[in-house]
Amino acid sequence: MAFIPAYKHETAPVPFEYYAGVIQNLVPGTLLYLNAGKLAVAGGTVKPQFIAQHTGTIDGTQVIAVEKIKESTIYETTCSAAFTSIKIGNKVTTGTDGLTVTATTDSGIATVVDYDGTAIGSKVLVRFE
């Protein structure tokens, strides 16, 4: 699963923004950021700025639609590691593929709001602050 907006605290739609980048096998919901003016996957401790709205490979000449990450929005994804020691309010890192969260709290960037289980693949709600 990738990141999808689960709860928005604003009623106005978030307009898409358009940028280029070089990314292979991009899927909607991938976390992205701008690196030297080009989109790149935001994984680990890199704070994401956008969520992809595109499927496929982009080669640097294509401009794709992205949705800006909002602090007021809660995002749903899955965990790529067991959440046995994670508590609500912990900040965790994201997977290197930009599609999941990990159970690593060192330099975490995604605040855990809720989760439905501790097993790998469980649904997790997070916020980026």
Side-chain angles (χ1 to χ4, degrees):
M1 174 184 231
F3 286 82
I4 58 170
Y7 302 101
K8 294 184 178 189
H9 297 287
E10 299 173 8
T11 56
V14 177
F16 288 151
E17 296 184 21
Y18 299 87
Y19 297 98
V22 178
I23 304 170
Q24 294 189 356
N25 304 318
L26 186 63
V27 297
T30 303
L31 299 175
L32 303 170
Y33 75 109
L34 286 175
N35 182 15
K38 298 281 187 180
L39 289 172
V41 174
T45 60
V46 176
K47 187 172 181 183
Q49 297 172 291
F50 308 101
I51 293 181
Q53 301 296 318
H54 182 80
T55 301
T57 297
I58 55 174
D59 62 10
T61 61
Q62 298 163 293
V63 176
I64 65 162
V66 294
E67 182 177 329
K68 189 167 186 70
I69 296 233
K70 306 279 278 179
E71 287 185 14
S72 60
T73 300
I74 296 172
Y75 298 90
E76 179 182 323
T77 190
T78 55
C79 57
S80 62
F83 258 38
T84 52
S85 63
I86 299 300
K87 307 286 186 253
I88 292 174
N90 285 151
K91 286 190 171 193
V92 294
T93 60
T94 58
T96 56
D97 59 3
L99 297 172
T100 60
V101 292
T102 70
T104 302
T105 56
D106 292 341
S107 302
I109 57 165
T111 303
V112 176
V113 175
D114 197 10
Y115 53 91
D116 70 356
T118 59
I120 294 172
S122 295
K123 181 174 73 171
V124 181
L125 297 176
V126 298
R127 176 178 302 183
F128 296 99
E129 302 171 297

